[in-house]
Amino acid sequence: MHRMTDSEFESAVEEALGCIPERFLDALENVAVVVEDEPNDYHLETLEEPDCLGASVCDNELLGLYDGVSLPDRADGYDSDVPDVITVFKGPHERCFGSRAEIVEEIGKTVVHEIGHYFASTRWDTEQGAERTNDLPIHPRHFTYNFLRSLPNTRRTPAWTPTSAPKT
């Protein structure tokens, strides 16, 4: 297990955010990105709530969590007093991935995935007619897959491709 200093981990999260295209960052409203060492009871309880939008998980470890209201759900009314929060957890990343390079790569995937929850609702149902808005797939898994494929120097067939990813 590789350990990173807090500063190294925070820098990797900042680097991951720096790789997000500006048009997506500009579209984020009232969203904070924070780093925590470990998920606490609140984070774990949030996963059990019916309105939880989703999280990044590996080997039963919580890597990241989006706690807020997705952009499509904000159309029904949104009180922006408290920001939505994307939390990236350091300890689980270190336990799940063996090298600094793997941790940094997975931080990037976690950040993209959690931002995907802002742009999409996990209540998405293909039976109800999925739509695309502003080139963003509705489901965060598809957002993550398509976004990472669009980055330069990204393998065209990543090993992590979700089974539900769109075929190209």
Side-chain angles (χ1 to χ4, degrees):
M1 175 172 74
H2 180 79
R3 293 213 180 261
M4 296 176 80
T5 66
D6 291 347
S7 178
E8 287 175 314
F9 194 86
E10 290 167 9
S11 292
V13 171
E14 289 174 16
E15 182 180 317
L17 287 167
C19 291
I20 305 290
E22 199 168 310
R23 68 182 180 150
F24 295 121
L25 291 177
D26 289 346
L28 290 175
E29 286 185 31
N30 203 29
V31 178
V33 178
V34 299
V35 170
E36 296 283 344
D37 286 331
E38 297 289 340
N40 60 31
D41 289 341
Y42 171 80
H43 298 121
L44 299 174
E45 289 167 8
T46 299
L47 289 174
E48 303 299 322
E49 294 177 9
D51 61 347
C52 176
L53 290 179
S56 300
V57 179
C58 174
D59 297 335
N60 293 323
E61 294 268 14
L62 183 59
L63 302 175
L65 178 68
Y66 178 82
D67 186 12
V69 180
S70 71
L71 191 59
D73 290 342
R74 289 177 183 206
D76 297 331
Y78 174 68
D79 179 10
S80 63
D81 290 344
V82 178
D84 295 3
V85 179
I86 293 172
T87 308
V88 183
F89 300 104
K90 181 176 179 258
H93 275 89
E94 291 173 332
R95 286 189 294 277
C96 287
F97 307 104
S99 70
R100 183 183 190 290
E102 286 177 316
I103 293 170
V104 169
E105 181 179 351
E106 294 301 325
I107 289 168
K109 291 176 187 177
T110 299
V111 168
V112 169
H113 179 87
E114 299 310 327
I115 287 175
H117 287 297
Y118 170 82
F119 289 105
S121 172
T122 55
R123 293 181 219 122
W124 177 75
D125 186 339
T126 54
E127 307 270 45
Q128 297 175 1
E131 297 178 9
R132 291 179 180 259
T133 306
N134 298 327
D135 299 327
L136 289 176
I138 293 299
H139 196 275
R141 234 180 295 175
H142 293 178
F143 172 79
T144 303
Y145 176 83
N146 288 330
F147 174 75
L148 288 175
R149 282 180 47 104
S150 73
L151 292 176
N153 302 321
T154 301
R155 293 189 308 255
R156 289 290 174 210
T157 312
W160 50 266
T161 301
T163 58
S164 62
K167 305 292 184 228
T168 56

